[in-house]
Amino acid sequence: MNSTIHPPTAHSPATLYIVLDAVRCWAAARRKHRPAMAQLHLRLRRYGCEQLSPALDSLLRLSEQVTGHDLRTGRGPRLSADENLLIDLLQARWPGPVPYACSDAIACAFCYAVRSTQILLAQALDARRSGAALTIRDADPLYC
């Protein structure tokens, strides 16, 4: 048994699309005052990786506390600075020091949330790989 969990850097562009779709769904739910984690769970279920919902919800909530503002999303293929940062962190491409507007404890929790999400994302995608290929065929381009 291989106990090494690799970050999702080697995964397909579909993986990044799924993460981006989930992030935008979560942010849209928050803006509309809907239950964000429930919306996120429904969105991720389309891809067979709804088990990521709690980790991603926690990561996104902590990212708002770290940055000191609501998560900013792009539209279509254009990514916001917040989305770029999250994707870079999830792919273990450290962009350098991340300025934060929170306590050191929240910043530390955010680092753990990034790593937990990396691990769970890799596990979910490995499980998906053993079954059907991960695709964006069923993705909704309108995001939530």
Side-chain angles (χ1 to χ4, degrees):
M1 181 170 123
N2 184 358
S3 62
T4 304
I5 302 294
H6 301 284
T9 54
H11 296 300
S12 71
T15 302
L16 297 179
Y17 181 88
I18 290 168
V19 170
L20 180 62
D21 186 37
V23 166
R24 289 181 177 180
C25 175
W26 183 90
R30 297 266 296 192
R31 282 191 300 274
K32 295 173 185 174
H33 304 288
R34 292 185 179 164
M37 187 159 145
Q39 296 290 313
L40 182 61
H41 181 71
L42 289 172
R43 180 56 53 103
L44 289 171
R45 188 179 347 163
R46 292 180 181 183
Y47 307 112
C49 51
E50 61 272 17
Q51 69 273 26
L52 292 172
S53 302
L56 198 51
D57 177 66
S58 178
L59 174 65
L60 297 175
R61 287 179 188 275
L62 284 165
S63 73
E64 288 186 335
Q65 291 181 6
V66 167
T67 61
H69 61 78
D70 291 345
L71 182 67
R72 297 177 183 141
T73 58
R75 292 182 68 75
R78 290 189 319 209
L79 302 180
S80 71
D82 290 347
E83 290 169 335
N84 272 316
L85 176 64
L86 284 169
I87 287 173
D88 283 347
L89 291 172
L90 289 174
Q91 290 188 307
R93 291 190 316 230
W94 306 110
V98 176
Y100 57 93
C102 61
S103 69
D104 288 344
I106 296 293
C108 185
F110 176 73
C111 290
Y112 284 114
V114 168
R115 186 63 182 138
S116 295
T117 304
Q118 287 174 334
I119 292 167
L120 291 172
L121 183 60
Q123 288 175 341
L125 296 174
D126 285 345
R128 290 280 299 156
R129 246 188 246 111
S130 65
L134 188 62
T135 69
I136 60 172
R137 190 176 324 130
D138 300 324
D140 179 2
L142 299 178
Y143 311 110
C144 291

